[in-house]
Amino acid sequence: MRIGQIILRVEDLERSVGFWSRIVGFDVTMQAGSFAFLDANGVQLTLNQIEDVPGDDSLTEIVIEVDDIRSSHRELSERGVPFEIEPRAVTSDGERELWAAHFYDPDGHLGSVVGWVG
């Protein structure tokens, strides 16, 4: 397992893409729907436009990449990670789907495990 990306929830995707790419200098690798993906030199910065700020104010997410989302979800659940949702498809690159399941740590920080399927 490794931390592979950080997700920032944003109100205006184009404004945020402009900031992180043109001003900060990260390269945009892909945009799909309400998501933009930028290369932050080994860590992916994902921008996700949302309409409503969640009640828990969790606008930042630590994403742990795994090779096998289903078995990693099962193993982490058995260790006591309190997942709030089963793994499900969250986006696609046109050839495969990115599956994810999220949880909150004891201090309320949002985390998720993700893995490509297909």
Side-chain angles (χ1 to χ4, degrees):
M1 291 189 295
R2 72 178 188 92
I3 293 177
Q5 65 180 296
I6 296 173
I7 298 176
L8 300 179
R9 307 287 191 259
V10 301
E11 291 181 288
D12 182 327
L13 187 62
E14 291 308 313
R15 179 183 67 198
S16 295
V17 167
F19 175 81
W20 288 103
S21 63
R22 289 189 299 278
I23 295 172
V24 175
F26 295 144
D27 292 328
V28 176
T29 58
M30 186 174 92
Q31 275 192 252
S34 62
F35 291 89
F37 305 91
L38 296 92
D39 180 7
N41 197 25
V43 173
Q44 180 172 280
L45 175 61
T46 300
L47 306 174
N48 174 214
Q49 181 172 318
I50 59 172
E51 293 185 24
D52 297 312
V53 174
D56 58 13
D57 295 328
S58 293
L59 300 179
T60 303
E61 179 176 351
I62 303 299
V63 179
I64 302 165
E65 293 180 353
V66 297
D67 292 329
D68 183 332
I69 183 70
R70 292 177 184 102
S71 67
S72 294
H73 175 264
R74 184 175 50 256
E75 290 169 16
L76 291 168
S77 293
E78 289 169 357
R79 286 194 230 161
V81 173
F83 286 99
E84 296 203 344
I85 193 164
E86 295 292 313
R88 81 279 184 215
V90 293
T91 192
S92 171
D93 67 2
E95 296 178 15
R96 43 192 190 153
E97 293 180 325
L98 184 66
W99 283 43
H102 68 269
F103 60 90
Y104 291 92
D105 76 2
D107 294 302
H109 301 113
L110 180 61
S112 65
V113 292
V114 301
W116 289 101
V117 174

